Amino acid sequence: MICMKLRAPLFLLTVILLAWCSSTAYAVGEPAYISFKSKPGYFGLTVAGKPAPLYISADDYPGVIRALKDLQSDITSVTGTKPGLFTRDMPSGKQVVLVGTIGKSLLIDGLIKNHKLNVSDITGKWENFILQTIQNPMPGVSSALVIAGSDKRGTIFGIYDLSAQIGVSPWYWWADVPIKKEADLYVAPGRHTQGTPAVKYRGIFINDEAPAFSGWTKEKFGGVNHLAYEKVFELILRLKGNYLWPAMWGNAFNDDDKADPVLADEYGVVMGTSHHEPMDRAQQEWKRYGTGPWDYEKNADVLKAFWKKGIENMGSKETLVTIGMRGDGDMAMTEGSNVALLEKIVHDQRQIIADVTGKDASKTPQMWALYKEVQDYYDKGMRVPDDVTLLLCDDNWGNIRKLPKLGEPKRTGGYGIYYHFDYVGGPRNYKWLNTNPISKTWEQMHLAHEYGANQVWIVNVGDLKPMEFPISFFLDYAWNPDKIPANGLQKYTEQWAAQQFGEQYAKQIAGILSKYTMYNGRRKPELLNQNTYSLTNYREFEIVAKDYNDLDDEAEQLYQKIPAQYKDAYFELVLHPVKACANLNQLYYTVAKNRLYAQQGRAATNQLADEAEKLFANDAKISAEYNHLNGGKWNHMMDQTHIGYTIWQQPTADTMPRVKRINVSEREAMGVAIEGSTAAWPMSQQMPILPQFNSAQQSKHYIEVFNRGVQPLVYTAKTDQSWVELSSKTGTVKLQENLTVSINWAKAPKGTSTANITIADQNGPPVTIALFASNMPELPDLKGFVEADGYIAMEAAHYTHVVNSNGIIWENIPGYGRTLSGITTFPVTVKSQTPGGNSPHLQYQVNVTDTGKFKIEAYISPTIDFTNTHGLHYAVSVDDEQPQIVDITPDNSEKAWGKSVADNIKILISSHHISKPGVHTINYWMVDPAVVLQRLVLDFGGVQPSYLGPPESYRQ
């Protein structure tokens, strides 16, 4: 109840804060405390070429001293002047920077002892820091900027926070983000802090890393070794993360390079191993040193010795130990495996931990991943000791499978989430590019936060590049979920763009980022083919390809405008994914047209085959451009295959989609095709009828006149009604020509009328095409959506009226889903509601011309019943009828799940009846929380097959 009362003011405060800091802060989402001009009371970090010296106690953590050297380098990069860094000298000078960890730094502890620094609000807390200017901190020093941390990483985060504020992006190395030069740097007075992170362990998993990451590291560093990991460690810490699952495809972090774990601990990164690699040992280590089967029933002694060595190697290094057991190689255990066996395995593993460390097992952080089939063991009653973190998981496609039950006693070890931005497995690998709109990540991780899964958040990021943007969001959101509300996601994107590219183009870049991730999120590129979108209905494929090409044009034009120093970063973070995906969609669109044209006998068939082959070759050129960027710094990062999948596993090489070529007659011959049909005339025996024209929609449709021969043909087009308008009435066609058909509604009769269009040439028979036009009477009081073409399609956000009640409100998640946005209820922790009366619902006013039975199709996000109880439901009704409750997962089969995640939607259908035409109200009712509605489509018999559904209907 407290959360409900605070919701509105917190929301307003967040919006105000986001709006204020968007134009000032370099650290995403944080108030700026750095100025480039002197102001009263500000501390001079660098003034007139003289930087303040940096002081730190030699007895502080080596990782803190190392991070301070990064700050020294960052100040040098920004200002061109290098501050001194002292570890043993007594601070002296007018203005100095004092850095240290409470309880580990003589400098900081001295300030605390002498009452110069109050750290009571951060002492003993996890990863807290303060930056504060204090006057006369010690003899010989007039003022000092103090960076103090509650623990090792707290101090490191304070250091890197200052780096971000002066203009050094966490992605300066990993994405070639330039560092803007400034002459002077000043720090605002006051205490600057970010509090305690909401999620304790926040990290990434480098996985599925061949061929890209593995090929790149081999060329640049000689392998996935400490030289590569030093770059990863620094990035994680600059992003205020603290946790890593290392690359494991053919790699063993602790065994390949003995410096790896040592440096991780020094840097301050908590290490772990993936869900199927228990006791801090990689799968590759078993392949190298294990003997006998990976089977505890048959080989327990060998496995225990193997695991013991892992804990011995771990020593005192900060580690979150994975326990439990899966089958070898990320597979399920043998069919005979059971709960009792797994419980014994966990018991024996914890005994090993206790024996090796000399401490109770509960003193060593541990995690049990309920990944895939392991969740089944938990659901059957298997339990682990309370101090073990239960790592809950998504379905590998960004939909969380299970969350803690509300009201249950809290576990000491808490709960965590393993999430995916990349995956190898069914229904299809997705590894190539970023396909993760942050709106979807926000929606799912908001659930995790609200249900208390806040001990660990770890995300599979594949090759790390090109997941820069969603990685930033994931770790920023993990630090403080309450700071980024649903309606603040675009503002966050703009701030992130400003951090990388400056303020001038940040809004436009953010728009491009949001659009391309929404487009990619509709269907993973690896799942695309020439059949994904409809070529004939709603001009769907044409519009999808055009939208991507328009976005590519916008991104290319901006590339020409941005300063030269930003071009590499812009190509990596913005232009490349847009360009590559626009080209890929155009390729499949061209292949689809080629196959249809071959079927229709068009002379343009072979030209499209040529165009498709050029587009395929261009895909390789775009990848090569990325690989050769910045002197080849990222060579191999775009080696991932993505064209030519036939099963879930990737092809060994990109494969050109099959195209068709035909023999074209020398003599010209006319063919006619129309929107909405794959047939062609005069060859087809069907009656050609254009899709319906409707005055409310101001519909326009097309006719294509095409040549089936080499010689040009001359055609004429005429209509038997003066109110039908054609974009052309005659023409000479070498290959094909598109005629736009429209209606002059001022001349057209009221009601539904018919007309005919006749296309003819000099040789063959004429083709007569029928059309129906519905000219609705003008209704000044008309409101809501209007039926046309036998359907009404509505975006969820375009409701007529909203009913919030019982402490539940409806909110829109912008940029969510496949077409516009998603709408759902908050808080997500409320109980199920009985639909009806004044319970929470949305109302959509519609104007229908049909009567009788019809269907309502609800486009629902593929959310999983994370409560694992009765399922998730919504309800729908027409006018005052009894709401129909609909289960969003009526089919729990693997096949149904695979389709829902591949399509990134569930389309649920309910049947209804309308007895009279006119105005009606569609009610969409909340039943269970976390059900996200994207669209509603009313099908009166006119909906045609397509991927995204029919375009939104006219509304007034």
Side-chain angles (χ1 to χ4, degrees):
M1 294 302 294
I2 294 174
C3 292
M4 286 297 299
K5 291 178 181 177
L6 292 177
R7 183 176 187 85
L10 275 175
F11 163 74
L12 291 173
L13 178 62
T14 303
V15 169
I16 292 168
L17 178 62
L18 286 170
W20 174 70
C21 66
S22 65
S23 61
T24 55
Y26 278 101
V28 176
E30 296 301 324
Y33 54 78
I34 290 292
S35 173
F36 306 124
K37 294 182 180 180
S38 178
K39 296 181 181 180
Y42 276 55
F43 175 87
L45 187 60
T46 298
V47 181
K50 295 182 179 179
L54 311 175
Y55 287 90
I56 188 168
S57 296
D59 53 351
D60 212 319
Y61 295 100
V64 174
I65 297 172
R66 189 212 58 77
L68 190 59
K69 291 178 181 177
D70 281 349
L71 177 61
Q72 180 188 39
S73 177
D74 292 345
I75 293 172
T76 305
S77 296
V78 172
T79 66
T81 56
K82 184 177 182 179
L85 193 159
F86 305 95
T87 59
R88 299 189 182 278
D89 299 3
M90 281 298 295
S92 63
K94 186 178 180 181
Q95 292 189 314
V96 301
V97 179
L98 307 177
V99 181
T101 308
I102 298 168
K104 187 70 174 175
S105 166
L106 293 175
L107 276 176
I108 300 302
D109 290 349
L111 293 174
I112 297 168
K113 182 178 179 181
N114 293 323
H115 306 290
K116 296 290 185 177
L117 181 67
N118 183 355
V119 294
S120 59
D121 56 339
I122 69 168
T123 300
K125 294 182 178 178
W126 180 262
E127 297 179 347
N128 273 234
F129 66 86
I130 57 167
L131 287 89
Q132 180 180 350
T133 302
I134 57 177
Q135 303 303 315
N136 304 311
M138 55 189 63
V141 177
S142 300
S143 66
L145 173 65
V146 177
I147 304 174
S150 61
D151 52 24
K152 176 169 68 174
R153 274 189 300 277
T155 313
I156 291 170
F157 292 153
I159 292 168
Y160 282 138
D161 193 71
L162 181 58
S163 285
Q165 287 272 343
I166 67 175
V168 180
S169 166
W171 297 100
Y172 79 96
W173 190 86
W174 278 96
D176 300 314
V177 176
I179 297 172
K180 187 179 179 182
K181 307 299 181 183
E182 300 289 350
D184 301 324
L185 299 172
Y186 297 90
V187 181
R191 287 170 70 88
H192 310 293
T193 183
Q194 291 187 27
T196 304
V199 179
K200 186 170 186 178
Y201 297 105
R202 311 166 302 282
I204 62 174
F205 178 20
I206 298 174
N207 190 217
D208 313 326
E209 64 269 20
F213 185 84
S214 59
W216 172 72
T217 52
K218 184 176 182 180
E219 178 180 302
K220 304 303 178 184
F221 303 105
V224 188
N225 54 30
H226 77 276
L227 299 174
Y229 276 119
E230 283 184 306
K231 301 295 186 184
V232 176
F233 298 153
E234 181 190 335
L235 173 69
I236 290 172
L237 294 170
R238 283 184 182 268
L239 291 168
K240 294 188 176 68
N242 60 8
Y243 183 43
L244 174 66
W245 286 359
M248 45 75 64
W249 274 26
N251 300 297
F253 180 82
N254 294 318
D255 193 55
D256 291 340
D257 183 342
K258 298 302 182 183
D260 285 350
V262 175
L263 283 171
D265 196 56
E266 179 183 309
Y267 269 72
V269 174
V270 181
M271 292 305 302
T273 47
S274 73
H275 51 84
H276 68 98
E277 299 177 304
M279 300 294 277
D280 205 32
R281 300 213 74 174
Q283 178 195 3
Q284 292 301 315
E285 291 183 77
W286 176 254
K287 291 184 177 180
R288 296 170 190 176
Y289 308 117
T291 57
W294 180 265
D295 186 326
Y296 204 70
E297 289 182 301
K298 300 176 181 178
N299 204 21
D301 290 342
V302 171
L303 282 163
K304 283 193 285 188
F306 176 75
W307 291 334
K308 180 181 179 183
K309 184 65 174 176
I311 302 303
E312 289 173 346
N313 292 339
M314 178 186 76
S316 61
K317 294 182 284 293
E318 200 172 1
T319 307
L320 185 52
V321 179
T322 298
I323 62 171
M325 189 176 184
R326 295 187 67 218
D328 193 18
D330 195 11
M331 300 297 289
M333 291 177 67
T334 58
E335 193 172 332
S337 301
N338 54 52
V339 168
L341 174 62
L342 272 172
E343 287 179 337
K344 175 172 174 51
I345 290 170
V346 169
H347 174 271
D348 292 351
Q349 288 172 337
R350 285 172 62 84
Q351 188 61 54
I352 291 169
I353 291 169
D355 291 344
V356 173
T357 63
K359 301 179 292 185
D360 187 87
S362 64
K363 303 300 181 183
T364 299
Q366 297 152 64
M367 174 197 73
W368 182 39
L370 305 188
Y371 184 67
K372 289 188 176 180
E373 80 289 341
V374 180
Q375 183 177 313
D376 296 336
Y377 294 114
Y378 182 85
D379 292 340
K380 290 174 183 176
M382 178 179 171
R383 294 296 181 264
V384 293
D386 192 66
D387 62 275
V388 176
T389 299
L390 296 183
L391 188 70
L392 309 172
C393 305
D394 70 356
D395 61 352
N396 303 307
W397 287 74
N399 306 292
I400 293 174
R401 297 177 64 207
K402 190 178 190 69
L403 286 172
K405 291 188 183 301
L406 295 173
E408 283 193 347
K410 289 188 176 181
R411 296 175 51 80
T412 305
Y415 298 86
I417 296 292
Y418 171 36
Y419 202 71
H420 285 76
F421 291 157
D422 164 287
Y423 180 58
V424 167
R428 186 66 55 87
N429 293 359
Y430 61 96
K431 300 174 59 179
W432 178 41
L433 293 174
N434 174 27
T435 60
N436 307 281
I438 63 168
S439 53
K440 174 61 180 281
T441 305
W442 180 92
E443 183 258 330
Q444 287 290 296
M445 299 314 294
H446 176 76
L447 286 173
H449 172 58
E450 292 295 313
Y451 277 77
N454 286 330
Q455 187 74 359
V456 180
W457 285 8
I458 181 87
V459 59
N460 186 328
V461 300
D463 301 307
L464 196 151
K465 291 181 73 68
M467 302 296 175
E468 297 94 340
F469 178 47
I471 289 172
S472 285
F473 175 76
F474 187 86
L475 295 177
D476 282 340
Y477 192 65
W479 185 280
N480 189 350
D482 295 332
K483 185 163 284 188
I484 308 176
N487 63 1
L489 290 170
Q490 194 59 24
K491 181 62 68 177
Y492 173 89
T493 307
E494 291 172 13
Q495 291 172 338
W496 189 85
Q499 184 186 56
Q500 318 316 319
F501 303 105
E503 293 284 347
Q504 184 176 3
Y505 300 112
K507 194 176 187 71
Q508 187 177 359
I509 289 171
I512 295 170
L513 288 172
S514 296
K515 279 186 180 179
Y516 101 73
T517 50
M518 171 181 266
Y519 293 167
N520 269 359
R522 290 170 172 169
R523 193 170 186 87
K524 309 293 187 186
E526 292 87 345
L527 277 160
L528 290 174
N529 60 38
Q530 64 281 351
N531 300 315
T532 299
Y533 299 106
S534 175
L535 198 57
T536 54
N537 295 324
Y538 312 120
R539 308 180 77 162
E540 185 180 49
F541 218 147
E542 174 190 348
I543 291 170
V544 165
K546 182 181 183 300
D547 286 348
Y548 235 131
N549 287 330
D550 288 348
L551 191 64
D552 183 29
D553 289 343
E554 181 184 357
E556 290 273 11
Q557 290 169 14
L558 186 54
Y559 178 77
Q560 301 304 321
K561 293 180 182 179
I562 63 172
Q565 65 268 30
Y566 288 103
K567 288 188 184 294
D568 283 355
Y570 181 83
F571 186 85
E572 295 167 46
L573 298 174
V574 184
L575 181 56
H576 172 263
V578 174
K579 187 184 230 183
C581 290
N583 185 81
L584 186 68
N585 278 270
Q586 187 67 31
L587 168 62
Y588 286 125
Y589 175 48
T590 304
V591 171
K593 289 195 295 181
N594 164 263
R595 296 189 184 183
L596 176 62
Y597 288 8
Q599 175 186 319
Q600 295 174 338
R602 298 198 194 194
T605 300
N606 298 340
Q607 177 179 302
L608 285 180
D610 293 340
E611 289 180 13
E613 289 173 351
K614 289 177 182 177
L615 289 163
F616 178 73
N618 194 44
D619 177 88
K621 290 179 181 177
I622 295 169
S623 294
E625 187 176 0
Y626 190 109
N627 283 339
H628 297 151
L629 199 70
N630 196 2
K633 178 179 178 181
W634 304 113
N635 194 31
H636 299 297
M637 274 295 187
M638 279 301 133
D639 285 358
Q640 179 60 53
T641 57
H642 49 276
I643 303 175
Y645 276 79
T646 57
I647 58 172
W648 66 267
Q649 184 58 283
Q650 67 193 40
T652 55
D654 288 326
T655 306
M656 170 68 197
R658 183 174 55 85
V659 292
K660 293 186 177 181
R661 296 182 183 274
I662 62 173
N663 294 320
V664 180
S665 170
E666 183 66 25
R667 185 180 179 184
E668 76 277 12
M670 186 186 75
V672 176
I674 63 173
E675 181 178 344
S677 176
T678 59
W681 291 267
M683 297 78 75
S684 174
Q685 300 302 309
Q686 302 174 23
M687 175 65 182
I689 304 174
L690 283 168
Q692 186 179 17
F693 293 80
N694 185 281
S695 59
Q697 296 279 80
Q698 293 289 301
S699 312
K700 294 182 180 181
H701 298 296
Y702 69 84
I703 298 170
E704 284 185 319
V705 180
F706 61 85
N707 199 342
R708 292 183 286 147
V710 174
Q711 296 300 318
L713 70 84
V714 177
Y715 75 89
T716 59
K718 62 181 181 179
T719 175
D720 61 358
Q721 300 294 337
S722 62
W723 43 267
V724 177
E725 298 179 346
L726 305 175
S727 61
S728 175
K729 293 184 178 180
T730 185
T732 301
V733 177
K734 174 67 176 173
L735 293 174
Q736 58 196 42
E737 184 174 329
N738 189 297
L739 277 65
T740 301
V741 183
S742 57
I743 306 298
N744 186 328
W745 296 108
K747 293 182 178 180
K750 297 299 181 183
T752 301
S753 305
T754 62
N756 294 305
I757 299 168
T758 301
I759 312 292
D761 72 342
Q762 296 176 339
N763 302 315
V767 176
T768 299
I769 303 158
L771 66 82
F772 295 86
S774 177
N775 194 4
M776 299 178 60
E778 292 185 12
L779 299 173
D781 296 329
L782 178 71
K783 290 183 179 180
F785 289 90
V786 178
E787 179 191 346
D789 285 345
Y791 74 84
I792 295 176
M794 306 176 288
E795 293 293 338
H798 296 159
Y799 51 80
T800 309
H801 183 64
V802 59
V803 175
N804 298 319
S805 61
N806 304 330
I808 299 166
I809 63 171
W810 293 90
E811 285 190 20
N812 190 46
I813 307 175
Y816 180 98
R818 306 197 310 174
T819 49
L820 180 67
S821 62
I823 194 161
T824 188
T825 53
F826 294 92
V828 294
T829 52
V830 297
K831 294 181 179 179
S832 299
Q833 303 290 300
T834 300
N838 197 46
S839 73
H841 66 285
L842 302 170
Q843 295 179 345
Y844 298 84
Q845 185 168 310
V846 297
N847 299 266
V848 304
T849 56
D850 284 296
T851 60
K853 291 183 179 180
F854 72 101
K855 297 175 181 177
I856 296 180
E857 299 176 350
Y859 286 55
I860 303 290
S861 298
T863 307
I864 292 173
D865 177 19
F866 52 84
T867 67
N868 303 136
T869 54
H870 64 285
L872 299 177
H873 306 79
Y874 68 91
V876 65
S877 63
V878 180
D879 298 329
D880 295 326
E881 74 174 351
Q882 183 72 21
Q884 292 186 38
I885 296 177
V886 181
D887 185 345
I888 74 166
T889 312
D891 182 350
N892 281 304
S893 68
E894 185 82 4
K895 181 179 179 181
W897 167 82
K899 178 172 173 52
S900 71
V901 296
D903 294 347
N904 200 18
I905 204 74
K906 293 181 178 181
I907 301 177
L908 289 308
I909 299 174
S910 55
S911 296
H912 303 265
H913 184 274
I914 284 179
S915 58
K916 62 180 181 178
V919 178
H920 296 273
T921 300
I922 306 301
N923 301 292
Y924 174 84
W925 305 86
M926 179 234 175
V927 176
D928 293 305
V931 176
V932 186
L933 175 69
Q934 297 183 26
R935 311 184 84 212
L936 287 172
V937 176
L938 281 56
D939 183 5
F940 300 97
V943 172
Q944 301 300 313
S946 64
Y947 183 73
L948 297 172
E952 188 171 31
S953 300
Y954 170 79
R955 67 187 174 106
Q956 184 170 308

